[in-house]
Amino acid sequence: MGPEDKYSQIFEHLNLAPVLSALGKKNHRGRPEKLNIPAMIYSLLIAKMENIEFVSALVRRLIHSHEFRVQCRFTGSDNIPSQSSYSRLIHALEQTGMLEQLQDRLVTSALEEGFVSGTHLAVDSSMVEAWDCQFSESASKRRAARREQKKHEAPVAEQLQLEHPETEPKTVNEPLKKPRYSKPGRPSQAEKERRREEMEAYEQSLGPFQKTIEAMLPYTYDELLTALPRQAARCDKKNTKGRMTSYYGFKANLLVDTNSQYILSGLWSSANPNDQRMAVVLLKGLLLKFPMLKVKHILGDKGYDCAAIYQLIHSLGAYPAIALIHHKDPPAGMNLDYTPVCTQGHAYRYDSFDAKYETLKYTRPSECQGCALSGSDCQKVFKIRIQTDLRLHSYPARGSERFTELYKKRTAVERVFAYLKEYFGMKRTRHRGVRASVDFQLSTLAYNLSKFALDKLNQQLRNSQQIA
């Protein structure tokens, strides 16, 4: 397809009426609007598809290419927006959250059309480097030097206030200092009670992303989204070779349908929060956005192996399929997949799953057919309820062929990350702070729009072939 035909097919399914209602003028008084807001949004999406990284490059192309202006839906009477105009639009999109609503409406349309089943979902995260990563170290040193200089130049009254911080009122979001006790000897009962009260007050002052993952579960999706850190930060993680590497930037977190590879939900955060915390936010918002979904399995790698994640997935009516981290050796009579083994060390075969009682059924291994111990010391059938330990026992059972085939579908989310970084401009972000989340939402929206347009074209082609 030519560019004009391609973009017309893609933007046909994008309804910008809610965006214009949120960003437009509230009344007809005052100076008229001189900017074509829909064309500016189209141009930002086309910039993602054309790998135009900078807003300045986008403005230059609009100025020098009449064909590109037509593709972005600018008319001859429209003024070419400046970089400042695009900056104000990005800020407004971030403040209103309209891009996330457009994404949810598009996924809902894909569900209604039957393009998305939602049976098997995969969750994963990927790092996105910030543009100013090479300047982060020197900039942080300069900021620290300026703070130290201001501290020495402060007047005497301000220095006295800093020497007695307990007299200053603390803000609501500022956590208390963690109490430390270094006094030797056994504390008295009154001292124990005082320490317990201090520790409880400290834990209450922590934000949702500073608490344990289990303590994050009672929070609602909106509360977690409000407290989500979105500033660029430095993070250490292991690469594919197992070596620790450090990078400065953000983290993109996705929840993807494995069959259709649609992005159902995405979050943009700092690089600091681990994958398990971001999975809590994604899963809490899943059924809130798409209550019609009937999820059967949620797939994840070892980074999501946490008891709280298993509990949250099970509360959604789904079953987790997550690779297991072995913190300790399995008990006697079980292998590393927590499958029963016979006295000769042969693993029992996974047979079936009873959904009513949530019970896994294992039958005697084929190697035990001619064994002399099969009648007495070798049990014929094992039944294990997954509720005994949601982390260790999953449906289908780990180590079985069904689990292996199901877990292979998790690579869909990795392919989506590859598409986003290679074809939709998510390799790194030029924006800073919370505005970088708009850059991420534009990439995911352009990806889902392209997939939806392609599915609609394929559907029309199949219908025309059936009629013919």
Side-chain angles (χ1 to χ4, degrees):
M1 280 187 175
E4 179 59 33
D5 296 332
K6 178 176 67 174
Y7 295 136
S8 63
Q9 291 289 339
I10 291 175
F11 295 141
E12 179 185 353
H13 311 291
L14 183 63
N15 181 19
L16 293 180
V19 181
L20 299 180
S21 177
L23 301 182
K25 293 179 62 177
K26 304 305 178 184
N27 51 55
H28 298 287
R29 298 179 180 178
R31 189 175 63 179
E33 292 284 351
K34 294 185 178 180
L35 296 176
N36 191 339
I37 300 299
M40 293 177 67
I41 297 176
Y42 290 146
S43 63
L44 287 173
L45 291 171
I46 292 177
K48 287 297 180 183
M49 301 176 195
E50 298 287 343
N51 281 324
I52 301 176
E53 190 170 7
F54 303 104
V55 175
S56 58
L58 174 62
V59 173
R60 282 198 303 270
R61 188 165 178 183
L62 286 171
I63 293 173
H64 298 294
S65 175
H66 174 72
E67 181 183 2
F68 187 70
R69 289 198 298 272
V70 173
Q71 293 171 6
C72 296
R73 309 298 189 268
F74 283 102
T75 64
S77 60
D78 290 332
N79 296 327
I80 302 300
S82 63
Q83 296 185 45
S84 300
S85 300
Y86 275 107
S87 179
R88 288 191 293 269
L89 175 63
I90 290 172
H91 181 72
L93 291 173
E94 188 275 325
Q95 290 291 326
T96 57
M98 293 307 301
L99 289 180
E100 185 178 1
Q101 296 181 24
L102 290 177
Q103 184 85 273
D104 295 343
R105 290 191 180 96
L106 185 63
V107 174
T108 303
S109 301
L111 285 167
E112 294 172 352
E113 293 285 346
F115 300 147
V116 178
S117 62
T119 306
H120 307 299
L121 307 182
V123 59
D124 203 358
S125 65
S126 180
M127 71 171 190
V128 179
E129 194 176 37
W131 175 261
D132 56 346
C133 61
Q134 62 268 34
F135 310 111
S136 61
E137 293 293 341
S138 58
S140 61
K141 291 179 180 179
R142 288 195 299 268
R143 287 194 295 268
R146 286 196 297 267
R147 286 196 298 266
E148 190 68 22
Q149 183 179 3
K150 288 182 180 179
K151 181 179 178 182
H152 291 299
E153 293 177 356
V156 179
E158 294 182 3
Q159 291 183 2
L160 292 176
Q161 290 180 3
L162 293 175
E163 291 175 1
H164 302 281
E166 64 275 6
T167 60
E168 297 180 358
K170 289 186 174 291
T171 59
V172 178
N173 296 327
E174 183 181 357
L176 298 174
K177 187 176 180 181
K178 187 175 181 179
R180 298 182 180 276
Y181 312 106
S182 58
K183 186 178 179 180
R186 180 179 298 178
S188 62
Q189 191 65 27
E191 180 70 13
K192 287 183 180 180
E193 184 66 21
R194 185 184 65 82
R195 292 183 179 183
R196 184 186 63 80
E197 293 176 356
E198 289 180 354
M199 188 59 69
E200 287 181 356
Y202 166 73
E203 292 176 353
Q204 289 293 331
S205 67
L206 295 177
F209 286 87
Q210 296 170 325
K211 296 183 178 180
T212 61
I213 300 175
E214 290 77 7
M216 291 178 62
L217 298 183
Y219 286 92
T220 63
Y221 174 72
D222 294 332
E223 291 174 343
L224 293 174
L225 207 60
T226 304
L228 180 65
R230 300 178 186 269
Q231 301 292 335
R234 185 161 294 279
C235 179
D236 298 329
K237 69 175 295 185
K238 289 185 178 180
N239 57 14
T240 55
K241 298 181 180 179
R243 298 178 180 177
M244 292 298 296
T245 57
S246 178
Y247 76 95
Y248 179 81
F250 305 90
K251 183 182 289 185
N253 308 269
L254 295 182
L255 197 60
V256 175
D257 180 71
T258 58
N259 296 328
S260 62
Q261 296 185 18
Y262 273 86
I263 299 173
L264 298 188
S265 183
L267 284 177
W268 182 261
S269 69
S270 301
N272 293 335
N274 59 19
D275 296 349
Q276 298 168 6
R277 297 182 184 277
M278 300 311 302
V280 171
V281 189
L282 284 172
L283 294 174
K284 278 187 171 291
L286 177 64
L287 294 185
L288 186 66
K289 297 179 180 180
F290 314 110
M292 71 293 292
L293 271 182
K294 296 181 180 179
V295 184
K296 190 174 182 181
H297 289 100
I298 295 179
L299 319 178
D301 57 13
K302 290 184 178 181
Y304 300 94
D305 182 25
C306 172
I309 300 298
Y310 289 93
Q311 179 184 348
L312 180 57
I313 294 175
H314 200 265
S315 66
L316 298 177
Y319 296 100
I322 300 174
L324 192 64
I325 299 177
H326 296 91
H327 300 289
K328 58 182 180 180
D329 294 333
M334 287 191 173
N335 60 8
L336 292 176
D337 294 321
Y338 286 86
T339 300
V341 296
C342 67
T343 54
Q344 299 297 320
H346 302 298
Y348 277 65
R349 292 179 299 177
Y350 169 67
D351 181 80
S352 60
F353 177 73
D354 188 350
K356 182 178 180 180
Y357 299 101
E358 295 187 331
T359 303
L360 300 171
K361 180 181 178 182
Y362 297 90
T363 58
R364 183 180 295 169
S366 58
E367 293 85 356
C368 296
Q369 291 181 357
C371 181
L373 302 175
S374 60
S376 57
D377 295 340
C378 191
Q379 189 171 332
K380 187 176 182 180
V381 175
F382 271 96
K383 291 186 177 181
I384 301 176
R385 297 193 64 180
I386 63 174
Q387 286 288 354
T388 56
D389 196 322
L390 293 174
R391 177 176 172 269
L392 302 181
H393 306 293
S394 62
Y395 161 63
R398 285 192 183 87
S400 63
E401 294 182 1
R402 298 181 194 177
F403 184 89
T404 303
E405 292 300 320
L406 176 64
Y407 192 73
K408 286 180 181 178
K409 296 182 178 182
R410 192 197 63 83
T411 56
V413 66
E414 297 178 353
R415 287 193 293 273
V416 171
F417 274 122
Y419 297 149
L420 290 173
K421 291 187 175 183
E422 187 67 24
Y423 302 111
F424 294 94
M426 211 187 73
K427 289 182 179 179
R428 59 183 178 181
T429 178
R430 182 67 177 87
H431 301 283
R432 297 180 181 180
V434 294
R435 293 193 184 187
S437 62
V438 177
D439 207 36
F440 164 72
Q441 291 170 352
L442 287 170
S443 297
T444 56
L445 181 59
Y447 170 83
N448 272 354
L449 275 171
S450 302
K451 281 199 65 65
F452 190 81
L454 183 60
D455 288 341
K456 291 291 286 186
L457 287 173
N458 289 333
Q459 187 184 54
Q460 295 172 5
L461 181 62
R462 288 192 298 267
N463 293 339
S464 62
Q465 290 176 351
Q466 290 176 0
I467 294 174

